[in-house]
Amino acid sequence: MSGGAHITLLAFGQVGEMVIENQRPISAGETVEKLLNALCIEHSGLEASVEHPRFRVAVNQAVVPFGHILRDGDEVALLSPVSGG
Amino acid sequence: MSGGAHITLLAFGQVGEMVIENQRPISAGETVEKLLNALCIEHSGLEASVEHPRFRVAVNQAVVPFGHILRDGDEVALLSPVSGG
Amino acid sequence: MTGRDHIRCTDAPIDPEAEHRLMRGKLIGDGAMVSFTGIARPVAQDDKNIVTLRLQHYPGFTEGSIAKGVAQARARWGIGQCHIVHRVGDMAPGDPIVFVATSARHRRAAFEATDFLMDWLKTEAAFWKCEITDNGTTWIEPRAKDIQDSQRWKDKVDG
Amino acid sequence: MTGRDHIRCTDAPIDPEAEHRLMRGKLIGDGAMVSFTGIARPVAQDDKNIVTLRLQHYPGFTEGSIAKGVAQARARWGIGQCHIVHRVGDMAPGDPIVFVATSARHRRAAFEATDFLMDWLKTEAAFWKCEITDNGTTWIEPRAKDIQDSQRWKDKVDG
């Protein structure tokens, strides 16, 4: 990947069936919330999952609030509600 | 063993250190209590163990009250308070 | 005692994993298996090092006293398999002394039944135990903690 | 996570007895070891036969979510060893899906810590599970019973 900031997008559980894991450009100061909004426009059906009270986002393996600002090289994981083992 | 009724005497736990397991003659209508009285006379120190609230006697593998009447061929077991496994 | 119960006293060393595998091979549709392995402790109640732990049992009668606990566990938790192996005779600190396992459709029943059976073994089963240290031989009675633990199950039944 | 913790997710079949032996070999003076083995169920929540159970995990993050539960168990029960192996990927009904074991000086701590860790795994650990039947694929959420079970430990802390 060249030019501008990128994140690595991962998705687990039901959300993983809707979102394709990939490298993705981000704009300066892009928050998790803005990323989610963009993804919901791109992927129909995603909005219901994202609004689930137990849906989480992890950045570099740590769960973050949706206001968290993304940086170049971040690993961003969309975490469907966990099933447990 | 010949002549008259006999029991097989077994003893477990602390009581087993005092009483020798053996074949032993019994009189007609002899109860567990009478047997215990006789054993306490023969074996010094036994009385305290027999009077422990958790001391039991089993006849043919079933715990019996001390009034139980012994019969020829019975297996009589003196059971010290159990330790658990 | 049903065909799903395995109750055994043995003077040979216990191999907990062999027992676990034997039991697990009999599972029929159960989703949960809980096992307990007890290991002979190195220190006696008087804080002396234990040289030998000696466990006496009354063949037949002792297994019967265990079976009563198993019957209660079955009635209460509807467990699948039940597997109990108890070491008897002389053993050294560090030796496995008891292996207990139960299975059930769901894990809560298997946890509680195994826990209950250990409390039963510790207070009701017909074993006589003495610790042999350099100080001599001491016969053991159930610890107050064991009696207290076993009381939990009665409380629940009454409550 | 200390040297006494073993936390592993694996897409290879679990051998519960091998894990039990591995853990037991590390015991230092503990008198009690409790293990739980969970086995993949043959029937889905919609009563259809399960063809495949699929478990997804997030390498690193999932182990971290398990380690949080282990840290809580250590703080609360002072356990000795802790050994957790979780199967991930595709598995068939009857396959062992999880093995959890803890050791402690006395059995109550080992029973409670293992029980707690299973509740933790069932509600807090980062796994995503789907059942594949002839009806299709269904993503699973924790059962109400699992959430209720995990609540027990919070009640105790608060109470």
Side-chain angles (χ1 to χ4, degrees):
Chain A
M1 312 293 294
S2 67
H6 286 78
I7 59 165
T8 300
L9 184 66
L10 304 175
F12 295 89
Q14 198 153 19
V15 169
E17 294 189 332
M18 294 179 252
V19 176
I20 294 158
E21 300 190 343
N22 58 10
Q23 300 282 318
R24 184 186 174 92
I26 50 167
S27 50
E30 181 162 330
T31 61
V32 167
E33 186 166 22
K34 193 180 161 205
L35 169 67
L36 291 176
N37 287 341
L39 288 169
C40 283
I41 291 169
E42 295 167 30
H43 303 280
S44 69
L46 184 62
E47 194 163 350
S49 296
V50 166
E51 286 175 352
H52 190 293
R54 296 175 62 235
F55 173 83
R56 300 283 182 271
V57 174
V59 173
N60 301 329
Q61 302 237 341
V63 172
V64 297
F66 288 180
H68 182 90
I69 294 172
L70 300 173
R71 293 186 305 181
D72 187 33
D74 278 350
E75 176 179 282
V76 179
L78 310 183
L79 310 174
S80 305
V82 300
S83 309
Chain B
M1 312 290 295
S2 66
H6 286 78
I7 59 164
T8 300
L9 185 66
L10 305 175
F12 295 90
Q14 196 153 21
V15 170
E17 294 188 331
M18 295 178 249
V19 175
I20 294 158
E21 299 190 344
N22 60 8
Q23 300 281 316
R24 183 184 174 92
I26 50 167
S27 53
E30 182 163 329
T31 61
V32 166
E33 184 165 24
K34 195 182 160 203
L35 169 66
L36 290 176
N37 288 341
L39 289 169
C40 283
I41 292 167
E42 294 167 29
H43 304 280
S44 71
L46 185 61
E47 196 164 346
S49 295
V50 165
E51 287 175 350
H52 191 291
R54 295 175 62 234
F55 174 82
R56 299 282 182 271
V57 174
V59 174
N60 301 329
Q61 302 239 338
V63 171
V64 297
F66 289 180
H68 182 90
I69 295 171
L70 300 174
R71 293 186 304 182
D72 187 34
D74 277 350
E75 177 178 281
V76 179
L78 311 182
L79 310 175
S80 305
V82 299
S83 309
Chain C
M1 184 146 160
T2 74
R4 297 170 300 167
D5 296 337
H6 177 109
I7 298 174
R8 197 170 93 241
C9 294
T10 174
D11 57 7
I14 294 176
D15 178 341
E17 289 79 21
E19 304 298 341
H20 196 282
R21 191 178 297 280
L22 185 59
M23 150 106 178
R24 192 164 63 86
K26 295 180 189 169
L27 298 191
I28 304 168
D30 282 337
M33 173 171 169
V34 171
S35 82
F36 176 86
T37 302
I39 292 140
R41 294 209 180 79
V43 178
Q45 293 191 350
D46 66 359
D47 282 341
K48 290 276 172 187
N49 287 335
I50 293 175
V51 178
T52 300
L53 182 69
R54 180 167 294 161
L55 230 83
Q56 213 179 9
H57 82 307
Y58 179 7
F61 183 86
T62 297
E63 289 85 346
S65 72
I66 297 171
K68 281 179 196 163
V70 172
Q72 288 197 20
R74 282 208 173 284
R76 190 156 167 180
W77 288 285
I79 50 177
Q81 302 292 323
C82 179
H83 194 101
I84 300 180
V85 182
H86 213 295
R87 178 86 179 268
V88 294
D90 286 5
M91 65 206 82
D95 285 0
I97 176 170
V98 61
F99 176 87
V100 174
T102 68
S103 69
R105 282 181 59 81
H106 298 291
R107 70 183 183 283
R108 187 109 313 284
F111 270 115
E112 294 194 3
T114 307
D115 194 359
F116 166 84
L117 285 168
M118 275 311 302
D119 286 343
W120 180 272
L121 286 170
K122 286 284 180 183
T123 55
E124 303 289 336
F127 292 102
W128 297 273
K129 184 156 55 177
C130 62
E131 294 175 345
I132 304 172
T133 69
D134 291 339
N135 270 7
T137 296
T138 310
W139 289 93
I140 303 300
E141 295 212 22
R143 297 181 307 148
K145 182 76 175 79
D146 288 327
I147 291 169
Q148 184 188 324
D149 280 353
S150 72
Q151 203 62 33
R152 292 178 302 150
W153 311 104
K154 287 169 186 154
D155 292 348
K156 280 198 192 165
V157 167
D158 297 344
Chain D
M1 181 143 162
T2 74
R4 296 171 301 164
D5 297 335
H6 177 109
I7 298 173
R8 197 170 94 241
C9 295
T10 174
D11 57 7
I14 295 175
D15 179 343
E17 290 78 23
E19 303 299 340
H20 195 283
R21 189 178 299 279
L22 185 59
M23 148 107 178
R24 192 164 64 85
K26 296 179 189 169
L27 298 191
I28 304 165
D30 282 337
M33 172 173 168
V34 171
S35 80
F36 176 87
T37 301
I39 292 141
R41 293 210 180 81
V43 177
Q45 294 191 350
D46 66 358
D47 282 343
K48 292 276 171 186
N49 288 334
I50 292 174
V51 178
T52 301
L53 183 69
R54 180 167 296 161
L55 230 83
Q56 212 180 10
H57 82 306
Y58 179 9
F61 183 85
T62 298
E63 289 85 347
S65 71
I66 298 172
K68 281 179 195 164
V70 171
Q72 288 198 18
R74 285 210 170 280
R76 189 154 168 181
W77 287 283
I79 50 175
Q81 302 293 323
C82 179
H83 193 101
I84 299 180
V85 182
H86 212 296
R87 177 86 179 269
V88 293
D90 285 5
M91 64 205 82
D95 285 359
I97 175 169
V98 61
F99 176 88
V100 174
T102 69
S103 69
R105 282 181 59 81
H106 297 291
R107 71 183 181 283
R108 187 112 309 287
F111 269 116
E112 294 194 3
T114 307
D115 194 358
F116 166 83
L117 286 168
M118 275 310 302
D119 286 343
W120 181 272
L121 285 171
K122 286 285 180 182
T123 55
E124 303 290 336
F127 292 103
W128 296 272
K129 184 157 57 177
C130 62
E131 295 174 344
I132 303 172
T133 70
D134 290 340
N135 271 6
T137 295
T138 310
W139 289 93
I140 304 299
E141 294 212 21
R143 296 182 307 148
K145 180 78 174 79
D146 289 325
I147 291 168
Q148 184 188 324
D149 280 353
S150 72
Q151 204 61 33
R152 292 179 303 150
W153 311 104
K154 286 169 187 157
D155 292 349
K156 279 194 191 169
V157 167
D158 298 342

